[in-house]
Amino acid sequence: MVPESAFQTYIFYFSETFPLCASAKAPFKSMKIHEYQGKQLFRKAGVPVLEGHVATTADEAAAAYDKLGGSIAVVKAQIHAGGRGKGTIIDNPEQRGVVLVKSADEARAAANGLLGKTLVTIQTGEEGKVVNQVFVEAGCDIARELYLGIVVDREAARPVLMVSTEGGVEIEKVAEETPELIFKEHFDPAVGLEAFQVRKLCKKLGIEGAAAKAAFKFMPAICRFFVDYDCAMAEINPLVITGSGEMIALDAKITFDDNALYRHKDLLEFRDLSEEEPSEVRASDAGLSYVKLEGNIGCLVNGAGLAMSTMDIIKYHGGKPANFLDVGGGANAQQVTEAFRILLSDPNCKGVLVNIFGGIARCTTIASALIEASKTVGFTVPLVVRLEGTEVEEGRKMLAESDVNVINATDITDAAKKIVAAAAG
């Protein structure tokens, strides 16, 4: 799995280490939006951005250039990943994801080279992402390029604003090679970024004069935006200072905490399902907490903590989880059946571990759901089941008397060893 940003707030601890504020040990779900959508929200929040228009055809891109009325513009591929400027189209390595254009014809040609094509960047992985739309944005007089990002630092239990002089480059590389060039300020979400903190950051960034005056408006505004919209991450790379000292967001990479979307129903219209993992969308529609990973052992567990422990112990015994899946405490037969459909639709899945601790969900309920799922879906890979908790003996008996081909496990360690062996065989 490829990190969304150097400043992601979550890690999948068993295979990758994502730097800086990656202190949470559970898959953190968030809704991403495109750059042009983020800039719509920035403008509404008082964060300065340039004029631009989204286009889904080459002719629309040419018309957008004419509408901007300037001598230069930039055509940007719109995908849910960073590193687009250095990204390349799979079938045309000369085609970059961000193109400077000086005429409507050039804008049309750039859009033709991007739309419907697969763009590969440092954050997409080798498979890349298909470009369905481009953003044609006005040019500006760039004097300096900076980096700005905000995430929630879970150890400090506060948002943290991070800035760097190394804007416009791969911030992942900066974080790895020269972390001393990244400056941080934690802020109270109820108060926002305070004036003394802006002064500190301006001094570290070497910002003065008109640019410093702009920073006193820009930095608190983006921090308010982060809190008001319940963001998981807000990243601007580059944040530019113009020749006249203006501070402008030349990029907008924003994700929102899924758990807070009930407060922002208007944001749901920005969701682009074509950019999301289909199995994760399917699971969400079924009320399941699911994240697709790259391993070969499917996991069906009730409770996020137990799910993470299950993934931990699978990795400890030499296996690699294919997913995070929490069916929740109130899982029913329909949800368990759908969970198995999702797990088994992954061609990499060579075995499934069901690890249930019956509390709210009784073991008999889960056993019944497993039996029904086997009739509906049909288990084509080894299935290891560990049941514990309320009505566990009854649940085990139900499975033993059924036609379901189950490998029983006595505890979580036994279950992990058995599924790793079964998946390898």
Side-chain angles (χ1 to χ4, degrees):
M1 179 167 287
V2 178
E4 296 175 9
S5 160
F7 301 119
Q8 280 183 304
T9 57
Y10 64 90
I11 58 173
F12 293 115
Y13 53 91
F14 54 85
S15 61
E16 302 284 345
T17 299
F18 299 162
L20 293 182
C21 288
S23 59
K25 289 191 68 179
F28 182 83
K29 291 293 290 174
S30 55
M31 187 188 86
K32 309 171 192 176
I33 61 174
H34 290 293
E35 173 193 359
Y36 76 91
Q37 296 168 324
K39 287 182 173 177
Q40 291 175 26
L41 296 176
F42 276 177
R43 183 177 285 109
K44 184 179 177 181
V47 177
V49 296
L50 298 171
E51 184 182 357
H53 306 283
V54 68
T56 56
T57 68
D59 286 342
E60 287 179 1
Y65 178 91
D66 287 335
K67 190 174 182 180
L68 291 174
S71 58
I72 62 171
V74 181
V75 178
K76 302 180 178 182
Q78 297 297 285
I79 60 172
H80 286 175
R84 293 166 295 160
K86 292 186 177 181
T88 58
I89 295 298
I90 285 182
D91 297 328
N92 181 15
E94 300 300 315
Q95 176 68 61
R96 299 291 182 175
V98 177
V99 183
L100 181 70
V101 297
K102 297 181 179 180
S103 69
D105 286 340
E106 288 186 8
R108 180 183 289 106
N112 253 329
L114 291 170
L115 290 168
K117 310 297 195 305
T118 301
L119 180 65
V120 177
T121 79
I122 189 174
Q123 293 179 11
T124 64
E126 294 180 357
E127 68 277 8
K129 285 182 175 287
V130 176
V131 180
N132 294 314
Q133 50 211 338
V134 296
F135 187 48
V136 185
E137 187 173 52
C140 71
D141 175 22
I142 301 175
R144 286 189 67 188
E145 293 188 352
L146 307 173
Y147 172 88
L148 183 149
I150 310 174
V151 294
V152 176
D153 184 341
R154 293 176 182 271
E155 290 186 357
R158 286 190 173 197
V160 57
L161 170 66
M162 294 168 288
V163 295
S164 175
T165 56
E166 305 303 297
V169 299
E170 295 168 0
I171 196 65
E172 293 88 347
K173 186 176 180 180
V174 178
E176 181 179 353
E177 298 180 0
T178 54
E180 69 276 7
L181 296 179
I182 297 173
F183 311 111
K184 307 178 190 178
E185 283 293 326
H186 293 81
F187 60 91
D188 185 336
V191 176
L193 193 72
E194 300 191 67
F196 78 92
Q197 295 177 295
V198 179
R199 281 193 292 272
K200 284 172 61 178
L201 292 175
C202 284
K203 184 176 181 179
K204 291 177 178 178
L205 293 170
I207 297 175
E208 54 188 19
K213 186 177 180 180
F216 273 86
K217 292 183 178 179
F218 190 101
M219 291 184 183
I222 190 65
C223 290
R224 282 196 305 272
F225 170 87
F226 183 87
V227 174
D228 290 346
Y229 280 90
D230 291 301
C231 295
M233 181 185 72
E235 187 177 63
I236 302 170
N237 189 22
L239 165 63
V240 302
I241 296 176
T242 68
S244 60
E246 292 180 273
M247 191 169 276
I248 297 173
L250 213 60
D251 189 22
K253 192 161 187 290
I254 304 167
T255 60
F256 303 98
D257 184 348
D258 277 5
N259 295 309
L261 284 178
Y262 71 93
R263 289 199 290 251
H264 308 282
K265 296 188 184 300
D266 56 317
L267 294 178
L268 294 175
E269 66 184 67
F270 289 147
R271 190 178 182 188
D272 186 350
L273 295 180
S274 68
E275 288 279 345
E276 298 184 28
E277 168 59 44
S279 59
E280 293 181 8
V281 175
R282 182 176 173 183
S284 178
D285 291 341
L288 303 169
S289 298
Y290 174 87
V291 179
K292 188 178 185 300
L293 302 174
E294 297 177 348
N296 65 344
I297 297 175
C299 304
L300 190 156
V301 190
N302 65 326
L306 183 59
M308 299 310 293
S309 298
T310 301
M311 296 160 72
D312 267 330
I313 201 162
I314 287 173
K315 183 67 177 178
Y316 180 79
H317 287 290
K320 196 170 183 182
N323 64 275
F324 167 95
L325 174 57
D326 171 17
V327 297
N332 54 40
Q334 184 177 354
Q335 287 177 307
V336 172
T337 299
E338 183 64 8
F340 272 108
R341 286 198 181 103
I342 294 169
L343 294 180
L344 297 177
S345 68
D346 181 355
N348 295 325
C349 183
K350 304 303 180 184
V352 176
L353 171 56
V354 176
N355 187 18
I356 300 295
F357 188 89
I360 298 174
R362 298 172 183 271
C363 291
T364 50
T365 302
I366 297 298
S368 178
L370 285 173
I371 294 168
E372 288 300 315
S374 70
K375 296 176 182 177
T376 306
V377 180
F379 300 146
T380 56
V381 297
L383 176 66
V384 175
V385 177
R386 178 255 183 168
L387 296 178
E388 194 58 77
T390 307
E391 297 182 356
V392 62
E393 295 302 330
E394 295 91 331
R396 289 172 180 170
K397 183 179 179 182
M398 290 173 63
L399 289 176
E401 294 176 350
S402 72
D403 295 329
V404 183
N405 187 12
V406 170
I407 302 172
N408 290 302
T410 56
D411 55 41
I412 188 170
T413 299
D414 183 43
K417 290 179 178 178
K418 286 179 175 177
I419 191 59
V420 170

